[in-house]
Amino acid sequence: VAVRGPASMLQNTYKTLPVPLGGANGTFEVERPLDCPPAIIAPRVRVSVEILPDLVEKELEFRVEIMRSANSPDEPLTPLPYTISAREGWTRRIKLRGPKEALQGLEDDLDRARLERGIGSVLPVAYVPRRELPDRLGTDEHDRNDNLRIVVSGLPSGVEIVDPPLLPVNMARVDK
């Protein structure tokens, strides 16, 4: 910013006058004068303001499925030589972080989908990718406890997973 005035006053740092934010949201620009003595001649300065949404963390309950990932729809689905049971059930509480309104809307949509059996709604999906499962258990294993990585796809913009969720499972060999 080009300013004019006595040399002794030009060695100082000057700030703009405060930008009034009352009721503002989103991104906007405003011109503000510099807060400097009358002996300094300064133009108004364009100030860019970006007000970000309040971020919160919230645990939401998702039903977890085992499925092909969206990145590999041609992945073959062959029967596994073992059964899989979720040690703590097929639902998991997953901690998310994002804009307060987005998380509240997602929670409302998930609750409504549970009541209406998901009809007419496009919701995020929590799943264990099929490629994460072993093809078979070891030759000396009859069963195995494991923690499988859960992927959540389709989260609203700005919403992310805080802690990588795991699904505790038991895999038991199917004897033929």
Side-chain angles (χ1 to χ4, degrees):
V1 176
V3 295
R4 289 186 322 159
S8 62
M9 297 182 106
L10 292 179
Q11 295 179 16
N12 295 330
T13 301
Y14 299 108
K15 298 180 181 182
T16 65
L17 289 174
V19 175
L21 297 177
N25 57 34
T27 301
F28 63 94
E29 290 186 351
V30 62
E31 285 191 3
R32 300 298 294 157
L34 290 179
D35 186 13
C36 53
I40 300 293
I41 300 169
R44 294 174 71 83
V45 177
R46 180 170 298 277
V47 178
S48 296
V49 178
E50 182 179 9
I51 300 174
L52 300 174
D54 290 331
L55 297 182
V56 296
E57 290 185 0
K58 189 171 206 141
E59 280 191 358
L60 299 180
E61 187 171 287
F62 288 85
R63 173 152 177 77
V64 180
E65 301 178 22
I66 295 175
M67 59 191 291
R68 289 185 250 189
S69 72
N71 297 335
S72 54
D74 298 330
E75 176 183 350
L77 283 179
T78 55
L80 297 169
Y82 55 87
T83 59
I84 300 173
S85 57
R87 295 192 314 259
E88 299 170 7
W90 287 98
T91 60
R92 299 298 293 161
R93 295 196 59 78
I94 298 175
K95 187 184 261 189
L96 303 173
R97 177 186 306 117
K100 184 177 182 178
E101 295 80 19
L103 286 176
Q104 187 58 54
L106 177 57
E107 182 175 37
D108 293 346
D109 290 346
L110 289 170
D111 289 344
R112 191 171 22 263
R114 273 190 280 282
L115 293 173
E116 300 171 4
R117 303 277 183 218
I119 296 174
S121 60
V122 177
L123 295 170
V125 176
Y127 65 97
V128 172
R130 166 59 180 91
R131 69 178 179 274
E132 298 277 323
L133 300 174
D135 290 332
R136 62 188 53 78
L137 299 180
T139 54
D140 59 342
E141 291 180 294
H142 180 68
D143 66 350
R144 176 193 332 177
N145 288 328
D146 209 342
N147 291 304
L148 304 175
R149 181 180 64 92
I150 299 172
V151 174
V152 181
S153 66
L155 290 172
S157 178
V159 175
E160 63 185 15
I161 295 172
V162 175
D163 298 316
L166 298 173
L167 180 68
V169 297
N170 176 266
M171 295 176 261
R173 183 184 307 279
V174 175
D175 294 321
K176 293 184 179 182

